[in-house]
Structures are given as structure tokens and as C-alpha cells.
């Protein structure tokens, strides 16, 4: 099928130091705030670190998912964007560092770590074979080792192809991707249950893993879209990205905005309809006091605004509009995780001050730095990929 | 001089590159009323033809929004305005429960409406034909050729000029397409007498067949399946008894197994004097009483019989059962209320067997005792 004699006249371009400097500034500012807030109030910083590390994990892990998905599906249009997802997936190495504050303060964050509380509670005793500190750390380590292994295999093969032009690497990656998928489904469910759902150890929602997945995939696509638009604007790709490429990204953003709305509403409606006290209290605690406004804001910001923003066909092809939508979706994903986590810290009302600014800045800075660092010695296009020419000429 | 019934002049090409070049030239010459027919979609044709984006999306949006609004309005009107219904203790206007329906109707209206709009506006529905249909030109372009056709209605149209243009472009075959008789008369086939008679016949046959199926056929043997059975159903005739009634009264002076007649109908005070609770409270009996009380009584009376209903004001709250009046009532008096109902409270004889009623009464006594404990309870 593909033209094996095709070699792209590709000249790698350096990402301007301006981007790296911006990343350094954000990281520095964020780091200062996080360190100071950790000294003043370790508990609050621990909660914030759950938000920050979940957000970073979303983008890193789901970028890895997108790579695997592209290989399995044999997708053509996305080949030109694959390096972006590969760079972003390197973020999964930084997540454990982000998670340090809550790992060190596991007692002030997770109620189920208190032996005396568990001993008094029949439900928590029943859950203790899963929810205990030792097994928590084993799971934490296991999922990261699994993700890292797949990261090395998938991106390593892709990078090797740049110099060897070996087409069997694509096939091999498709097989590895297929193995990764079920493992990914299990590990992301474990991670979302451990980090986010077990904050309220008595609450359960069987759809929670899917909820986290839907929002995270949206965030990963948004980050990819943003990077693609920025690179194209500054002519760093070496090729011109077409409206049809952008349309595909926009369509995915739109589709997964709907998917997120569908999952979030399903989770809410089933609990609302069954009206069981052991499930409803989770939503009630997010509906009391001024948390109500955050909950209503989630519907408006995360579903209605992006829905209207990228509903029409021309807006999906417009890079400027897509860039705006991508930034907005990244913001709302952080907002979403804040909504999941923070009501456990402050039940009486919204907790928002300078403490909460550290991790968003740090996330932003680390994302930019990781991207520029990875882009320094890797091509921005997978020049050895057999589908690259088709991908560049992609037509809807 | 043009032919009277000329629709367009057509040209056939062999490759997509040729047709794109032809379109570029035709566009440059200033023709507006032309169309391209290819065996498969040729990439970039829309932009070369300078076609504006389709307006169909706006119709889909408007129809979808009207579907959402219509569904929400109808559910609001039917379930919370015209005939309010309590469903699962939810509010009359239970928005989360309405959203799935709203979503379905939105999708249905948007998709069906879009298809109909497309048929009406783009395919001009009453017209069942198009001049290009059933021509050699159409046979070629739906097989392996790439065709372009410039319509005679175009303001710049001139057959000689168009022919020369096509020749210059290197067309493999140039031809003319004419209107046929029906298309000149502009009388759409859909209003043809025969067609309308066909429609009426179809309607009569389909409605007759469905009427026969649902009202006659399903009641005939063997299609009546289990509807007709060899037993006497309520209100049915019986040949066995001389008076012809299927339903019988019990034989005078007998009582059905497992049932106890209630002798104090309409006489609650007498019941209070005469009826005695046959049960002695123990842990098991109180547990059953609590279960039944929480299920049947607590929605209005509250879990602790304080009259704190969970019905959000859909019914008036009953008074507390801890009042002196109820505490001084005998068990039999409470039994009478549960059996017959009182004021707005209906009878619970269907939901609770007599034994269960006595068990609930013992549980209510326990609740009353808990609220108004005696001195010696505290020792």
C-alpha cells in the first residue's frame, strides 16, 4: 500500500527557547507555592497534590492510550500528531513526584488508613483486604511499572523507526498496543479508585473508572490539539497541517465532550433515581453550601460551553477556535478533579486560595518543559512511519 | 437558437485530474449553473467548485432544539401540570428523569427532520425525477467516467461556446440532455391520478389488515392463545349455576381458611374496647413490626412516628403518634384505624395481615415508650 521509497524532506526545527523559558517560569512559581504551602499546611497540599497528580496522569497516561489506539486502529490521519502524544506520555514519569505530598500524608487524606476508624466500621472492615496501606503502595508501584514498560516499548519502537525505517516495528507496536488495552482498562480503574474514589471510602460507583477515563481522554486530546496548533502556528512541524486534520481532532474533542456528559449524567442519574443513602451522600456533600455552585459550574463549563464552542463544522476546522477550546477543556478537567477531591477536604464550603494555585502552575510548567525536553532530540514527525505520507495527504 | 427542450450540455472525461481541470476552467469562465458527476467522491471538488458549506446543519440544530423543547414541555405539562403523579417519591418536575427522554426525542427529531428536509429542499420531493436520470451520460458517470454538465438555464449559456469549451478541455464525449415530456409539463408524477389511487388503496389495505389482526384475528382460535381458558373469570357467565352468575357468595355462616372477619366496621370505639392484642412483644415480633412500620407507615408518619413525613408536602403531614390521645388509645383502637383508615389515611388491610398489624402496634408502643420514658425505665 504505502510508498516505501517515500522519504520526507524533513528538517528538524528547534523549539524556540521562549517556550522553555515560559515552562521554567511556571514550574518555578508552582514549585515555590507548593513548597511553601506544604510547610504551612501539609494536609491541604496533600489534597492539592491528588488533584495535580491525577491531572498530570490524565494527560500522560491517556496520551499513551492514544498512541496504542492509533496503532491498533491503523489510524492514518493521526500519524502526524503521534510525536506530540509520545512526548506528552513521558509525563507519567513525573506523576509519582507530584504525588509525594499525599503519599507522605496518606493518613490525613485517606480515612481508611486509620486502624481505629476501620475497626469500628463494618463496611470498612469488609473493604480492608483491598483498602489497606501496604496493598495501596503495592498497587501504586505496580501500575506505574506497567505503564512505564509500555511507554518504553511503544515510544522506543516508534523512535527506532526514524532511523531504521523498519516497517515491522509498526506491526509489533500494534500487537503491544492490543496487549496494553485491557491492562490499561484495569490499571486506570485501579488508579481512579485508589486516588479519587477511596477519598470517600464508603462510597462506591461502578462507573467511576469510566468517568475518570472519559474526562482524562478529553484532556489528553485537548493537550495534543493545543500542542499541534502551537507547532503549526510557528511552522515547526515541517509540513502544513490541513483543515481535515484539525477537523478530526475537533470531532474527537466534540465526541468525547458528549461522552463525558453521558457518563457523568449516567452516574448521577442512577444514584439519584435509586436514592440509596449509602450512594447519595457523595452528591449531597457536593450540593451543600456553596459547593452547589461548583457542581452547577461543572455542567456549564465542562459540557455546555465546549459543546457550543465546537458544535459547528467550520469551528472544528478553525485552529484558533480549537486552541481556545483545548485550553478551556484542560481548565475544566482540572476543575472536574477539583470537584471530585476538594469537598472531602472542606465540607463546609469552597476551599480556594493561593494554596490551590501551586499545582496548576506546576502542571502547566512541567508539561511545557517535558515537551520541549523531549522535542530537543526527537523528530517532531515520525519520519520512518510507513503511513506518514498518507497521513500528510489526509483527506476526509 | 437553442433547442426548446434542452436541459444541458454534458462532457465526459477519463480521469479525476481532467475533471478537476475542467471544473477550474468552467469556474473561471463564470458559469454558475453546472454540476459534476463522478463514480466516487473526488477530493477537493467542493473547494474547486466553490460550493458554500451545507445549510443542512442549521435545520438539524433547529429541529433538535425544538425536539428537546417539545419533549420537556410535554413532560412538564403531563406529569406536573395536567395530571401530577408521584413516581418513586420524586418531585413532580423530576428533571434528571426527563433528560434521557429529552435526549431521545432530540436525536429523533434532528435525524428524521434532517432526512425529510433533505428530501424536500435538496431533492425537491414532489419531483420524482431529474433530467439527467436515465441517460447515457448518467450510465457512464456511475460506471467509470467523470462528467460535467452545464445547464441551459445559465445566463452565460450558449451551445456553441460550451461545445468549444469542452472540446478545448479535451472531453472524450460531448452530448446533449433534453427534458422529457413529463419534465417540460412540470407536472410531478406524485400527483398523478393513478398514484393517488394507489396510495388510497394502500392506506385502506394496511389499516384494514391491522384492524382485522388486532381486533378479530387475535381473538380467533388458535391465535387467542391463553386469553380464552376453561375457567370462570370475574364477571363472567356460568352455565353451571342456575342463576347464571360466575361469581359466588360464601355459604352463610362460613369463614374462609386463614381469614378472620372484622366485626367492628364503622365502630372504631367499640373495637377499642373489645379487641385485645393477641401478641406478646419479643425481639422477633418487634423486628417484624419495625420492618413493616418503616415500609408502610414511615413515609408519612416518619421513622420515629413524629409525623415528619418524607413526602415534601405532597400530602398533609399526619400528627405525631406521641400525643396523649394516641398513647391512651387501646391497641384495638389503633388496630381499627389501620384496618379502616381515618381521615386522609387509607386502609392498610390489603398491605398488612392482622398479625402484622398487631406487630406494628407493638413497635409503635415501643417508639412511644422511648419518647415518653417512665421514671422506672431509667433505673
Amino acid at each position: 500500500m504505502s510508498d516505501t521509497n517515500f522519504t520526507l524532506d524533513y528538517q528538524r526545527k528547534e523549539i524556540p527557547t521562549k517556550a522553555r523559558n515560559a515552562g521554567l517560569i511556571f514550574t518555578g512559581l508552582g514549585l515555590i507555592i507548593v513548597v511553601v504551602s506544604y510547610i504551612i499546611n501539609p494536609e491541604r497540599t496533600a489534597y492539592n497534590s491528588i488533584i495535580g497528580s491525577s491531572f498530570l496522569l490524565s494527560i500522560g497516561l491517556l496520551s499513551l492510550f492514544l498512541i496504542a489506539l492509533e496503532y491498533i486502529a491503523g489510524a492514518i490521519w493521526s500519524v502526524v500528531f503521534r510525536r506530540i502524544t509520545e512526548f506528552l506520555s513521558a509525563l507519567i514519569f513525573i506523576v509519582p513526584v507530584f504525588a509525594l505530598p499525599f503519599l507522605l500524608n496518606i493518613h490525613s487524606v485517606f480515612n481508611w488508613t486509620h486502624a481505629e476508624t476501620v475497626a469500628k466500621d463494618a463496611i470498612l472492615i469488609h473493604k480492608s483486604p483491598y483498602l489497606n496501606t501496604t496493598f495501596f503502595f503495592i498497587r501504586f508501584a505496580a501500575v506505574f511499572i506497567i505503564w512505564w514498560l509500555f511507554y518504553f516499548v511503544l515510544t522506543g519502537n516508534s523512535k527506532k523507526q526514524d532511523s531504521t525505517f523498519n516497517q515491522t516495528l509498526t506491526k509489533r507496536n500494534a500487537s503491544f498496543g492490543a496487549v496494553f488495552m485491557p491492562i490499561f482498562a484495569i490499571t486506570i480503574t485501579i488508579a481512579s479508585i485508589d486516588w479519587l474514589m477511596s477519598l470517600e471510602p464508603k462510597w462506591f460507583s461502578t462507573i467511576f473508572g469510566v468517568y475518570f477515563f472519559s474526562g482524562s481522554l478529553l484532556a489528553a486530546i485537548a493537550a495534543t490539539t493545543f500542542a499541534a496548533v502551537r507547532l503549526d502556528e510557528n511552522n515547526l512541524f515541517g509540513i502544513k497541517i490541513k483543515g481535515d486534520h484539525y477537523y478530526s481532532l475537533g470531532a474527537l474533542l466534540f465526541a468525547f465532550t458528549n461522552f463525558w456528559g453521558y457518563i457523568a449524567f449516567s452516574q448521577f442519574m442512577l444514584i439519584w433515581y435509586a436514592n440509596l443513602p449509602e450512594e447519595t451522600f457523595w452528591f449531597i456533600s457536593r450540593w451543600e453550601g456553596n459547593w452547589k455552585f461548583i457542581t452547577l459550574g461543572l455542567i456549564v463549563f465542562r459540557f455546555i460551553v465546549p459543546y457550543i464552542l465546537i458544535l459547528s463544522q467550520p469551528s472544528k476546522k478553525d485552529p484558533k477556535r480549537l486552541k481556545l477550546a483545548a485550553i478551556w477543556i484542560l481548565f475544566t478537567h482540572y476543575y472536574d478533579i477539583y470537584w471530585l477531591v476538594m469537598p472531602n477536604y472542606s465540607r463546609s464550603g469552597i476551599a480556594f486560595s493561593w494554596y490551590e494555585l501551586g499545582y496548576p502552575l506546576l502542571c502547566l510548567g512541567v508539561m511545557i518543559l517535558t515537551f520541549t525536553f523531549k522535542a530537543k532530540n526527537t523528530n517532531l514527525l515520525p519520519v520512518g512511519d510507513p503511513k506518514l505520507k498518507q497521513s500528510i495527504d489526509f483527506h476526509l | 437558437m437553442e433547442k426548446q427542450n434542452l436541459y444541458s450540455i454534458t462532457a465526459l472525461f477519463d480521469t479525476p485530474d481532467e475533471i478537476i481541470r475542467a471544473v477550474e476552467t468552467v469556474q473561471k469562465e463564470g458559469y454558475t449553473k453546472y454540476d459534476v458527476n463522478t463514480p466516487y467522491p473526488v477530493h477537493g471538488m467542493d473547494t474547486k467548485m466553490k460550493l458554500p458549506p451545507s445549510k443542512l446543519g442549521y435545520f438539524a440544530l433547529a429541529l433538535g432544539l425544538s425536539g428537546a423543547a417539545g419533549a420537556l414541555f410535554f413532560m412538564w405539562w403531563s406529569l406536573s401540570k395536567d395530571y401530577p403523579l408521584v413516581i418513586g417519591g420524586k418531585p413532580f418536575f423530576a428533571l434528571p428523569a426527563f433528560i434521557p427522554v429529552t435526549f431521545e426525542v432530540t436525536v429523533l427529531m434532528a435525524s428524521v427532520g434532517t432526512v425529510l428536509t433533505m428530501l424536500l429542499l435538496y431533492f425537491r420531493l414532489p419531483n420524482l425525477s431529474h433530467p439527467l436520470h436515465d441517460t447515457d451520460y448518467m450510465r457512464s458517470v456511475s460506471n467509470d467516467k467523470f462528467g460535467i454538465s452545464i445547464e441551459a438555464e445559465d445566463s452565460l449559456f450558449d451551445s456553441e461556446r460550451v461545445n468549444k469549451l469542452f472540446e478545448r478541455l479535451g472531453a472524450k464525449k460531448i452530448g446533449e440532455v433534453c427534458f422529457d415530456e413529463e419534465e417540460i409539463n412540470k407536472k410531478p408524477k406524485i400527483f398523478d391520478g393513478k398514484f393517488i389511487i394507489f396510495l388510497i388503496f394502500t392506506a385502506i389495505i394496511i389499516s384494514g389488515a391491522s384492524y382485522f389482526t388486532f381486533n378479530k384475528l387475535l381473538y380467533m382460535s388458535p391465535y387467542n392463545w391463553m386469553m380464552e381458558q376453561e375457567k370462570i373469570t370475574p364477571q363472567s357467565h356460568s352455565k353451571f349455576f342456575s342463576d347464571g352468575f360466575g361469581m359466588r357468595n360464601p355459604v352463610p355462616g362460613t369463614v374462609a381458611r386463614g381469614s378472620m372477619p372484622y366485626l367492628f366496621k364503622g365502630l372504631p370505639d367499640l373495637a377499642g374496647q373489645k379487641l385485645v392484642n393477641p401478641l406478646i412483644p419479643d425481639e422477633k415480633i418487634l423486628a417484624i413490626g419495625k420492618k413493616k412500620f418503616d415500609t408502610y407507615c414511615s413515609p408519612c408518619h416518619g421513622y420515629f412516628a413524629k409525623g415528619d413525613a418524607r413526602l415534601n408536602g405532597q400530602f398533609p403531614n399526619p400528627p405525631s403518634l406521641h400525643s396523649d390521645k394516641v398513647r391512651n388509645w387501646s391497641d384495638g383502637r389503633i388496630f381499627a384505624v389501620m384496618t379502616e383508615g381515618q381521615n386522609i389515611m387509607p386502609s392498610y388491610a390489603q398491605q398488612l395481615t392482622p398479625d402484622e398489624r398487631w406487630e406494628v402496634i407493638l413497635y409503635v408502643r415501643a417508639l412511644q415508650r422511648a419518647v415518653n420514658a417512665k421514671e422506672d425505665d431509667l433505673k
Side-chain angles (χ1 to χ4, degrees):
Chain A
M1 278 290 283
S2 58
D3 184 1
T4 42
N5 297 322
F6 167 74
T7 41
L8 184 73
D9 183 23
Y10 177 73
Q11 294 253 305
R12 197 152 62 78
K13 289 179 187 162
E14 292 295 326
I15 291 192
T17 47
K18 216 170 65 185
R20 203 193 59 206
N21 292 343
L24 279 174
I25 291 167
F26 283 133
T27 313
L29 264 177
L31 207 59
I32 291 165
I33 297 177
V34 168
V35 168
V36 171
S37 71
Y38 188 78
I39 293 163
I40 298 172
N41 191 342
E43 190 193 340
R44 189 163 181 168
T45 314
Y47 275 103
N48 274 312
S49 98
I50 296 184
I51 308 178
S53 44
S54 301
F55 180 80
L56 209 65
L57 178 76
S58 292
I59 291 166
L61 181 59
L62 273 293
S63 295
L64 195 61
F65 169 82
L66 284 174
I67 299 169
L69 188 66
E70 184 199 299
Y71 278 114
I72 297 176
I76 288 166
W77 67 273
S78 61
V79 172
V80 289
F81 299 127
R82 200 179 67 228
R83 277 292 140 82
I84 299 175
T85 46
E86 281 173 17
F87 296 167
L88 287 174
S89 60
L91 289 172
I92 51 175
F93 291 91
I94 303 163
V95 177
V97 185
F98 268 47
L100 276 179
F102 85 80
L103 294 179
L104 295 174
N105 289 284
I106 194 161
H107 276 284
S108 49
V109 179
F110 295 117
N111 201 16
W112 49 263
T113 54
H114 299 271
E116 65 278 16
T117 321
V118 174
K120 272 185 262 166
D121 201 310
I123 297 174
L124 292 185
I125 291 171
H126 187 69
K127 291 188 179 187
S128 59
Y130 183 84
L131 283 183
N132 61 66
T133 320
T134 327
F135 194 30
F136 176 87
F137 281 110
I138 293 173
R139 288 194 304 268
F140 189 91
V143 292
F144 272 105
I145 289 167
I146 292 169
W147 295 333
W148 290 344
L149 281 177
F150 276 100
Y151 170 84
F152 283 126
V153 172
L154 290 172
T155 62
N157 278 345
S158 170
K159 201 176 171 184
K160 218 186 284 167
Q161 212 172 32
D162 273 12
S163 47
T164 60
F165 294 89
N166 186 354
Q167 294 196 11
T168 52
L169 288 172
T170 301
K171 262 188 185 165
R172 209 175 296 162
N173 261 2
S175 313
F176 279 119
V179 175
F180 176 64
M181 281 293 154
I183 296 172
F184 162 80
I186 294 164
T187 46
I188 192 177
T189 311
I190 287 174
S192 61
I193 288 173
D194 282 2
W195 303 13
L196 298 167
M197 206 167 101
S198 79
L199 285 167
E200 199 72 83
K202 288 189 201 169
W203 186 69
F204 56 91
S205 163
T206 44
I207 209 172
F208 194 81
V210 185
Y211 177 82
F212 182 66
F213 164 78
S214 65
S216 300
L217 184 53
L218 196 49
I221 300 167
T224 311
T225 310
F226 177 76
V229 176
R230 285 296 294 166
L231 290 176
D232 192 35
E233 272 175 353
N234 295 314
N235 291 319
L236 295 170
F237 254 129
I239 54 152
K240 201 69 200 150
I241 299 295
K242 289 201 185 100
D244 289 350
H245 287 121
Y246 283 133
Y247 179 81
S248 304
L249 283 173
L252 271 184
L253 282 178
F254 184 69
F256 278 94
T257 298
N258 282 297
F259 183 65
W260 179 87
Y262 179 79
I263 294 298
F265 179 71
S266 302
Q267 175 170 286
F268 168 73
M269 198 197 68
L270 289 181
I271 289 173
W272 173 84
Y273 215 99
N275 206 10
L276 299 173
E278 61 263 40
E279 292 175 347
T280 48
F281 78 93
W282 192 83
F283 277 106
I284 290 169
S285 65
R286 278 154 186 76
W287 196 249
E288 274 170 353
N290 44 18
W291 283 116
K292 191 174 187 171
F293 302 112
I294 299 284
T295 309
L296 288 172
L298 187 69
I299 303 168
V300 176
F301 296 155
R302 187 119 217 231
F303 181 67
I304 297 173
V305 171
Y307 186 92
I308 295 168
L309 208 55
I310 44 178
L311 175 64
S312 76
Q313 196 205 29
S315 68
K316 291 189 192 92
K317 286 187 171 174
D318 177 15
K320 284 211 174 64
R321 179 75 71 94
L322 275 185
K323 192 168 73 173
L324 180 68
I327 295 169
W328 181 258
I329 286 167
L330 284 174
F331 157 70
T332 55
H333 185 56
Y334 202 90
Y335 183 101
D336 185 7
I337 301 176
Y338 175 86
W339 175 79
L340 289 175
V341 172
M342 272 327 234
N344 296 299
Y345 171 72
S346 154
R347 282 173 203 283
S348 47
I350 300 169
F352 188 82
S353 70
W354 63 271
Y355 291 104
E356 274 67 45
L357 294 176
Y359 265 101
L361 286 174
L362 201 55
C363 284
L364 196 61
V366 164
M367 276 159 64
I368 298 170
L369 279 187
T370 313
F371 193 91
T372 47
F373 176 76
K374 294 290 292 180
K376 201 172 260 178
N377 40 24
T378 316
N379 293 331
L380 277 169
L381 282 177
V383 288
D385 195 291
K387 292 181 292 184
L388 183 64
K389 184 177 159 41
Q390 271 180 295
S391 181
I392 293 170
D393 296 339
F394 173 70
H395 278 291
L396 271 177
Chain B
M1 192 61 202
E2 313 295 347
K3 276 194 215 162
Q4 198 68 61
N5 60 350
L6 184 70
Y7 169 72
S8 70
I9 294 181
T10 60
L12 292 172
F13 296 91
D14 280 343
T15 63
D17 288 345
E18 283 174 332
I19 193 78
I20 287 204
R21 220 178 47 238
V23 168
E24 272 173 355
T25 319
V26 169
Q27 186 73 34
K28 214 183 285 164
E29 296 268 318
Y31 294 100
T32 49
K33 293 196 169 168
Y34 67 96
D35 205 358
V36 178
N37 306 87
T38 54
Y40 57 83
V42 174
H43 286 308
M45 188 56 87
D46 302 21
T47 45
K48 285 282 182 312
M49 287 175 76
K50 299 205 167 64
L51 292 177
S54 169
K55 298 275 181 296
L56 208 53
Y58 294 102
F59 287 103
L61 181 68
L63 287 161
L65 286 177
S66 62
L72 268 182
F73 170 78
F74 190 71
M75 279 183 288
W76 165 79
W77 178 76
S78 60
L79 282 169
S80 48
K81 179 87 184 145
D82 187 52
Y83 198 92
L85 273 179
V86 179
I87 299 171
K90 298 283 187 274
F92 290 132
F93 187 75
L95 187 63
F98 295 168
I99 282 181
V101 180
T102 312
F103 170 72
E104 300 289 342
V105 177
T106 308
V107 172
L108 184 76
M109 277 292 282
S111 49
V112 173
T114 308
V115 170
L116 288 180
T117 314
M118 200 167 75
L119 289 177
L120 281 169
L121 293 185
Y122 290 81
F123 298 165
R124 310 203 173 94
L125 184 62
N127 290 313
L128 294 179
S129 181
H130 188 275
L132 288 179
H133 281 177
D134 211 14
T135 57
D136 287 338
Y137 167 78
M138 194 44 84
R139 269 185 276 280
S140 307
V141 296
S142 57
N143 189 12
D144 61 346
K145 295 278 188 279
F146 300 80
I148 182 165
S149 119
I150 298 181
E151 289 169 30
E153 274 185 26
D154 197 302
S155 52
L156 295 172
F157 187 83
D158 176 83
S159 17
E160 254 173 60
R161 250 187 76 203
V162 172
N163 272 318
K164 269 195 190 132
L165 174 67
F166 284 158
E167 271 164 29
R168 207 169 66 231
L169 286 167
K172 296 288 169 309
K173 195 179 168 195
I174 299 172
E176 288 182 345
V177 172
C178 298
F179 287 108
D180 58 24
E181 210 56 30
E182 183 209 335
E183 284 156 358
I184 292 173
N185 295 336
K186 295 272 177 194
K187 192 183 164 201
K189 246 182 195 158
I190 209 164
F191 298 129
D192 200 46
K194 275 185 211 156
F195 183 67
I196 288 171
I197 290 170
F198 165 75
L199 278 186
I200 293 171
F201 259 108
T202 316
I204 290 172
I205 288 167
I206 289 175
S207 49
S210 16
Y211 177 83
F212 176 75
T213 310
F214 292 118
N215 291 293
K216 302 285 172 218
L217 187 68
L218 285 178
Y219 295 92
M220 289 176 190
S221 179
Y223 301 107
N224 52 7
W225 299 110
M226 296 176 82
M227 269 189 280
E228 303 279 323
Q229 293 187 5
E230 293 295 312
K231 70 173 187 190
I232 298 165
T233 50
Q235 317 287 346
S236 66
H237 180 77
S238 166
K239 284 176 200 158
F240 182 77
F241 297 106
S242 57
D243 58 3
F245 287 113
M247 291 162 85
R248 312 304 300 169
N249 281 321
V251 176
T254 58
V255 172
R257 265 171 192 270
S259 79
M260 194 65 189
Y262 183 66
L263 302 171
F264 304 97
K265 208 160 185 208
L267 303 165
D269 289 324
L270 191 65
Q273 288 164 26
K274 294 277 160 116
L275 279 176
V276 179
N277 196 335
L279 303 175
I280 297 160
D282 62 22
E283 209 175 310
K284 214 168 152 189
I285 281 179
L286 285 176
I288 301 171
K290 176 175 163 48
K291 192 165 191 289
K292 296 292 169 185
F293 181 87
D294 286 354
T295 308
Y296 294 109
C297 315
S298 76
C300 298
H301 286 286
Y303 284 114
F304 301 104
K306 287 178 178 165
D308 45 342
R310 298 197 298 277
L311 297 176
N312 299 322
Q314 286 163 14
F315 286 104
N317 282 11
S320 163
L321 298 183
H322 300 294
S323 63
D324 286 343
K325 187 178 105 180
V326 182
R327 275 194 294 137
N328 292 331
W329 271 359
S330 70
D331 285 3
R333 184 68 181 77
I334 301 178
F335 188 86
V337 172
M338 290 166 73
T339 311
E340 290 199 71
Q342 176 180 288
N343 299 333
I344 199 170
M345 172 174 164
S347 160
Y348 275 80
Q350 293 297 317
Q351 287 91 335
L352 298 167
T353 65
D355 270 1
E356 284 168 351
R357 271 171 261 163
W358 291 121
E359 281 153 358
V360 169
I361 288 166
L362 288 174
Y363 180 65
V364 171
R365 290 294 186 217
L367 288 178
Q368 288 174 340
R369 187 75 171 270
V371 172
N372 289 293
K374 289 173 191 160
E375 282 286 322
D376 50 324
D377 287 341
L378 299 172
K379 277 173 191 163

